Amino acid sequence: MRAPLRHIDSFGKLLSQGYADWLDERGKKYIQFMREGSERMSQLVDDLLELSRVTRAEMRRQPVNLSEVAGEIAKRFQEEQPERKVEFTVTPEVTANGDLQLLRAVPENLLGNAWKFNSKREEARVEFGVFSTEGQEGTRTVYFVRDNGAGFDPAYAERLFAPFQRLHKEDEFSGTGIGLATVQRIVRRHGGRVWAEGEVDTGATFYFTLG
């Protein structure tokens, strides 16, 4: 699927550059729509491949410093968009035992969502942390990512982790609806679970445990 998408985008680029003088504004806009559509489809293909990979990939457990992973991701976001004012808080020395490559995708997606959904906040905050709970199975470590962004209607919390499910319009926040489904599959492969709490326009918190 990637090859025909590349052809669509390449010929669209040739049309927009080489035949710009022959096209009116409506024609140029149509080409723009075509190229944007092929780009979204290409991203969707990549996300679906990633979703398939995390389901079948062989797991190699080892100690993973999630704080370092979260810090690297936060630093990259800030370097890519230095104009944004986002206060990142990362609890130090948060560790887990699991597959490094798979676990890296969990904060990657959760922090990426937090970064995206608080993009309209003048004073945005994102936090990665951990706490412990006591239950019938003993002490349980719970990791979380919290933001003060757009949030969501809690009535639809379960839909968040289904592939292609989106609670916000495309023109508000971009995305393919695959990221949280990927997170859920990775967490389940590690014997844990993931869930979310939020309110519209007040932010969201995503929690996950690992076995």
Side-chain angles (χ1 to χ4, degrees), residues 46-58 99-105 182 185-186 189:
D46 289 343
D47 288 348
L48 285 171
L49 289 172
E50 176 66 13
L51 185 61
S52 176
R53 184 188 72 82
V54 301
T55 303
R56 298 180 299 176
E58 179 183 354
D99 185 279
L100 174 60
Q101 296 305 316
L102 291 180
L103 285 185
R104 185 177 184 84
T182 300
R185 294 194 182 187
I186 293 172
R189 288 203 66 190

Side-chain angles (χ1 to χ4, degrees), residues 34-208:
M34 179 180 69
R35 295 193 65 196
E36 289 175 352
S38 67
E39 182 178 350
R40 286 196 299 272
M41 185 62 185
S42 179
Q43 183 61 57
L44 181 58
V45 170
D46 289 343
D47 288 348
L48 285 171
L49 289 172
E50 176 66 13
L51 185 61
S52 176
R53 184 188 72 82
V54 301
T55 303
R56 298 180 299 176
E58 179 183 354
M59 285 182 54
R60 298 179 180 177
R61 285 182 177 267
Q62 60 180 298
V64 178
N65 190 321
L66 291 176
S67 294
E68 289 185 0
V69 173
E72 292 170 3
I73 294 168
K75 181 180 179 181
R76 188 180 78 244
F77 288 158
Q78 292 171 319
E79 288 176 345
E80 291 174 350
Q81 293 182 285
E83 72 281 1
R84 288 189 54 187
K85 296 180 180 179
V86 180
E87 177 186 346
F88 266 102
T89 302
V90 177
T91 300
E93 299 305 318
V94 175
T95 60
N97 185 272
D99 185 279
L100 174 60
Q101 296 305 316
L102 291 180
L103 285 185
R104 185 177 184 84
V106 175
E108 182 85 44
N109 281 287
L110 295 182
L111 290 172
N113 276 354
W115 178 266
K116 175 172 63 178
F117 287 114
N118 68 11
S119 60
K120 299 179 182 180
R121 294 282 191 231
E122 290 186 7
E123 297 183 1
R125 297 187 304 276
V126 178
E127 180 183 2
F128 172 76
V130 66
F131 61 89
S132 297
T133 61
E134 295 291 339
Q136 295 181 348
E137 300 178 354
T139 303
R140 191 76 166 175
T141 301
V142 180
Y143 309 90
F144 68 89
V145 171
R146 179 177 292 124
D147 68 74
N148 66 330
F152 61 88
D153 186 336
Y156 302 109
E158 291 301 318
R159 287 177 48 188
L160 290 169
F161 302 98
F164 309 115
Q165 293 295 316
R166 293 172 48 84
L167 302 186
H168 300 86
K169 296 180 180 178
E170 178 71 26
D171 57 359
E172 292 180 308
F173 300 100
S174 62
T176 60
I178 296 295
L180 291 178
T182 300
V183 167
Q184 186 183 62
R185 294 194 182 187
I186 293 172
V187 169
R188 284 180 174 175
R189 288 203 66 190
H190 284 80
R193 71 183 188 96
V194 59
W195 68 99
E197 296 176 353
E199 295 288 343
V200 175
D201 204 36
T202 62
T205 304
F206 286 82
Y207 305 92
F208 65 96

